[in-house]
């Protein structure tokens, strides 16, 4: 049952990012079978499987673990893996800019503040997750982001 839930979770999380692989294709990748699909999408699935395997050892409020998660999730997909972005980014809706991310010279401070808040917060995990996700997306600390929910639900 856990394996089936993991497959559905991987499929749902990656579908949000535009990945078109089905749960059957993800199951095949998980079982080391060859899947005929866009290589980028197969790599995203492989990376996400590796991230889920490492998930239990990570501490949600530790920057080193967040950077390691990014490295695992983005290996083979972008150049800047496991590090904060070095250039400006924005979010577009068609040809319209809807969000300009935090300046690169502020990312280290903003992320340290956010992770400190997460470490010190006594909010219910769902509230922590929601606040963290909103702030994390607003800062947009990475050149490209795929995200596994970054809150330790076993904490409370």
């Amino acid at each position: 049952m856990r394996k089936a839930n993991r497959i559905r979770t991987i499929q749902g999380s990656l579908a949000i990012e535009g990945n078109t692989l089905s749960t059957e294709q993800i199951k095949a990748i998980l079982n080391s079978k060859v899947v005929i699909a866009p290589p980028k999408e197969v790599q995203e699935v492989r990376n996400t499987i590796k991230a889920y395997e490492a998930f239990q050892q990570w501490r949600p409020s530790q920057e080193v673990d967040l950077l390691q998660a990014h490295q695992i999730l983005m290996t083979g997909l972008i150049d800047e893996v496991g590090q904060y972005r070095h250039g400006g980014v924005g979010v577009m809706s068609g040809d319209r800019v809807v969000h300009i991310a935090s300046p690169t010279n502020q990312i280290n401070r903003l992320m340290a503040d956010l992770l400190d808040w997460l470490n010190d917060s006594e909010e219910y995990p769902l509230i922590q997750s929601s606040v963290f996700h909103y702030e994390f997306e607003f800062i947009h600390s990475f050149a490209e982001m795929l995200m596994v929910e970054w809150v330790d639900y076993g904490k409370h």
Side-chain angles (χ1 to χ4, degrees):
M1 189 159 139
R2 285 184 184 203
K3 186 175 181 179
N5 283 336
R6 179 170 290 180
I7 291 167
R8 284 193 298 272
T9 300
I10 290 169
Q11 193 277 328
S13 295
L14 293 177
I16 291 169
E17 299 293 331
N19 189 299
T20 62
L21 272 63
S22 67
T23 53
E24 292 79 21
Q25 289 171 305
I26 292 169
K27 182 178 179 181
I29 293 168
L30 190 60
N31 291 323
S32 302
K33 296 188 177 168
V34 175
V35 173
I36 306 299
K40 176 183 177 265
E41 293 188 13
V42 172
Q43 185 67 40
E44 287 174 345
V45 171
R46 286 184 180 135
N47 291 354
T48 304
I49 291 167
K50 286 180 187 174
Y52 273 98
E53 290 169 355
F55 191 76
Q56 292 299 317
Q57 71 188 25
W58 291 330
R59 297 149 302 165
S61 62
Q62 298 300 305
E63 181 182 53
V64 66
D65 292 338
L66 176 64
L67 295 174
Q68 183 185 39
H70 185 265
Q71 180 174 0
I72 289 171
L73 286 166
M74 301 311 295
T75 292
L77 301 172
I78 65 170
D79 293 333
E80 291 181 20
V81 298
Q83 59 186 299
Y84 296 137
R85 64 181 162 80
H86 296 106
V89 296
V91 177
M92 303 290 290
S93 177
D95 60 353
R96 200 181 94 206
V97 176
V98 295
H99 173 68
I100 297 175
S102 303
T104 54
N105 66 351
Q106 296 296 312
I107 293 173
N108 287 337
R109 179 186 62 79
L110 292 169
M111 287 305 300
D113 288 349
L114 181 57
L115 292 169
D116 286 345
W117 172 83
L118 183 61
N119 188 54
D120 297 339
S121 174
E122 295 183 12
E123 299 293 332
Y124 188 73
L126 180 59
I127 302 299
Q128 285 181 333
S129 174
S130 299
V131 170
F132 182 89
H133 185 251
Y134 175 83
E135 294 293 332
F136 187 64
E137 290 292 333
F138 186 83
I139 296 166
H140 210 94
S141 52
F142 297 110
E144 181 64 35
M145 299 194 320
L146 288 177
M147 189 167 155
V148 172
E149 211 48 57
W150 196 252
V151 170
D152 181 3
Y153 290 101
K155 184 173 158 183
H156 292 278

